[in-house]
Amino acid sequence: MSSSEGKLKPSSSELDLDRPNIEDYLPSGASIHEPHGKLRLRDLLDISPILTEAAGAIVDDSFTRCFKSNPPEPWNWNVYLFPLWCSGVVFRYLILFPVRAIVLTIGWMIFLSCFIPVHFLLKGNDSLRKKWERVLVELICSFFVASWTGVVKYHGPRPSMRPKQVFVANHTSMIDFIILEQMTAFAVIMQKHPGWVGLLQSTILESVGCIWFNRSEAKDREIVTKKLREHSQGADNNPLLIFPEGTCVNNQYSVMFKKGAFELGCTVCPVAIKYNKIFVDAFWNSRKQSFTMHLLQLMTSWAVVCDVWYLEPQNLRPGETAIEFAERVRDIISVRAGLKKVPWDGYLKYSRPSPKHRERKQQSFAESVLRRLEEK
Amino acid sequence: MGNSSSMLTQYDIEEVQQHCNNAFSQQEIVSLYKRFCQLDRNGGGFVSAEEFLSVPEFAVNPLSQRVLRMVDGLNFKEFVAFLSAFGPRATLQQKIEFIFKVYDSDGNGKVTFNDMLDVLHDLTGQFISEKQRKQVLTQVLEEAGYTKESLLVLSDFVKILGSSGLKMEVEVPVD
């Protein structure tokens, strides 16, 4: 159930967004030492700065770093540590895991036995039905969190149900949604997944007002923006939760926020989520693992420990563009959760960067050549 | 490290080190191996052009296609050898040889006017006309004592580039 790794192709409609200047973040070889003096053959042939940038990107780059999962360090197997680790494994797989699986199954049985009747019998009485479904979704999420022995510390005031407000959070795994959902039934906007997750999406999550999109469809964006706007205006809709990064990042970096959530004319309430790596690496690397495997991995770890901060709601400042607003909120969340910011669009996982960046470099080099040609 | 290959043994590391003439320390080779495995997503033992171009910082580089031609499909030993021109102990000669190889796309040891024009095209894109490029190149060539018909060899490059110190070093992140 990993996301499709299709051919990489430049999708200009998706990525032709104006964005803050990447050059501010990237190591710029050619543009730092502004060369002066008459243009000589040596200056044209000396491509070393640009080659160094290319080699630098091959050796290490800030984008790939965002999606690196951290494998657990191998221990020093001693006489006493190895058996201890082994007994830990035995305990986790043979005792903890079955107990958790049972808890989860019980949770599902309770949930389904309440949800199905409520959903069908209260069809006429919408507001009562919604209220019950909300409570039940929060319940099943609590069961999920319990099945990983989730220890979640919530900081900040609980979100309230008000119209014209959206919540944005950094994204590490689909469990982000479950952790937030157990406290408040949000309506989330998510990529439509295949398999059992998709089934859950189209049945249960539909009831809390979730919105689906398909990353690979550019046209989809307009439809989705419209749906977002409609939802956020509705007074008794569940509060909208958006992950503006658009993809899962490894909880140490944050990629650029998409501006969609910030141009709805609503108050934006930032939420920061930070997982404690000592217990488990909660990053869901969708290229390496299906969601099922990811959940199983969580259920056989000791615990999922994380902090959730509900931060001060922000509004668009006069004279601020949606992109600047998005960057400002990203800054607030990154500082709180201790994430390093990188200037890349998360969707570059699935497609190539727009040619605009290369053209900018070409333009500055061309201008420098022409300028120096004139000099004596 | 997730999917692919085994860990590097001490023997492997020494072999790679020998192949690249000690351009990198053993720790750096281990880091480069981790990076290589990270880039080689399908675990085929080499990094394909697609996998290189999935690094956005690389894809936006004006010379990415030329560098790609040199690095596409290399196994790990050859990959490290390729990067040795960017190592901390690389000599000026090695760096100039690398630059020469970038220009000499057909590998016959001679760089023509058109080769240099092609690279200039990569560097300037649509922001200078082809006519202007030819003019600029001809002018600086003649000032340096060459003509449009000159075929430059490695020693010419050494003469031209050797006087200025070439800064071409890349830092290998070591955990």
Side-chain angles (χ1 to χ4, degrees), chain B residues 6-45:
Chain B
S6 42
M7 293 290 297
L8 277 187
T9 66
Q10 183 63 28
Y11 180 65
D12 294 327
I13 298 177
E14 283 169 8
E15 197 185 321
V16 172
Q17 220 180 11
Q18 229 182 358
H19 188 81
C20 70
N21 288 324
N22 282 346
F24 295 103
S25 71
Q26 298 203 348
Q27 254 193 321
E28 288 171 330
I29 291 180
V30 172
S31 293
L32 283 175
Y33 187 66
K34 282 207 195 118
R35 175 66 175 178
F36 187 81
C37 291
Q38 198 180 55
L39 292 172
D40 178 20
R41 278 210 289 273
N42 63 354

Side-chain angles (χ1 to χ4, degrees), chain A residues 201-214:
Chain A
Q201 284 180 323
S202 35
T203 50
I204 297 166
L205 296 182
E206 244 347 279
S207 69
V208 280
C210 292
I211 298 172
W212 314 118
F213 68 88
N214 211 327

Side-chain angles (χ1 to χ4, degrees), chain A residues 7 30 44 49 52 101 214 225 228 258 268 305 350 360 364 367:
Chain A
K7 281 263 170 285
L44 281 190
T52 313
N214 211 327
T225 319
L228 282 182
K258 300 199 173 317
V268 170
V305 178
Y350 311 99
R360 222 174 282 158
S364 86
E367 285 170 1

